[in-house]
Amino acid sequence: MEELLNVVSDGIKKINTNIARNKKYFDYPFTSNCDHYYKLMLLHSQSECWEQFLQLLVSFNEKRNVEFNKRSNDFERRLKNEKAGIPGFVTQATLTQIIDYMRTLEWKIEELVGVKIQNKEV
């Protein structure tokens, strides 16, 4: 994931450098050609799209790179306490935390399975 973030960041830097270079072109008196303005607008649009994609990648990276601890005992204790208060009732907050924890575990399993598959191919 870090490699992908670095590649996208480098691409954005290249596009922004190209934009800066094309803006300096406007300092010369022969800049009245429309193609140049259109190219500059396309570069700006491309830069914005890649920056949004980078933000999306960063958000995925932050969600998946969460350190987690074994929480089964904690969830078991919470479920017992909540069921003792009102039989058969579990709060929505507890269910949400359990589902988030399960998703984290699934991501880790996918990473481990992916690593094993890659190791078998080598």
Side-chain angles (χ1 to χ4, degrees):
M1 188 64 139
E2 290 297 323
E3 293 177 22
L4 183 59
L5 289 171
N6 291 336
V7 169
V8 172
S9 295
D10 291 343
I12 291 173
K13 288 177 187 175
K14 288 178 186 176
I15 292 171
N16 288 337
T17 302
N18 198 359
I19 289 172
R21 186 179 66 240
N22 282 319
K23 281 184 178 179
K24 288 184 179 183
Y25 179 72
F26 289 122
D27 294 337
Y28 300 104
F30 53 87
T31 59
S32 62
N33 89 30
C34 296
D35 293 338
H36 185 71
Y37 290 109
Y38 182 72
K39 181 179 177 183
L40 193 58
M41 287 180 3
L42 287 177
L43 285 172
H44 275 289
S45 176
Q46 189 178 18
S47 174
E48 289 174 2
C49 289
W50 279 106
E51 286 174 5
Q52 289 176 353
F53 180 64
L54 181 63
Q55 290 173 356
L56 183 65
L57 285 176
V58 167
S59 70
F60 283 150
N61 190 29
E62 289 173 357
K63 287 180 186 176
R64 290 195 175 209
N65 284 338
V66 175
E67 292 184 21
F68 64 96
N69 300 322
K70 185 176 175 182
R71 297 182 59 191
S72 60
N73 293 334
D74 180 42
F75 287 133
E76 185 177 355
R77 182 184 49 77
R78 287 179 67 182
L79 288 173
K80 282 182 183 178
N81 289 339
E82 290 175 3
K83 285 182 180 180
I86 300 175
F89 178 74
V90 179
T91 62
Q92 190 64 33
T94 302
L95 294 175
T96 304
Q97 289 177 358
I98 291 172
I99 290 172
D100 288 341
Y101 183 68
M102 286 176 14
R103 286 184 183 142
T104 305
L105 292 176
E106 288 173 350
W107 293 332
K108 292 297 179 182
I109 290 170
E110 288 174 3
E111 288 176 5
L112 292 173
V113 169
V115 169
K116 287 183 181 179
I117 291 172
Q118 291 174 357
N119 288 339
K120 287 181 182 179
E121 292 176 359
V122 174

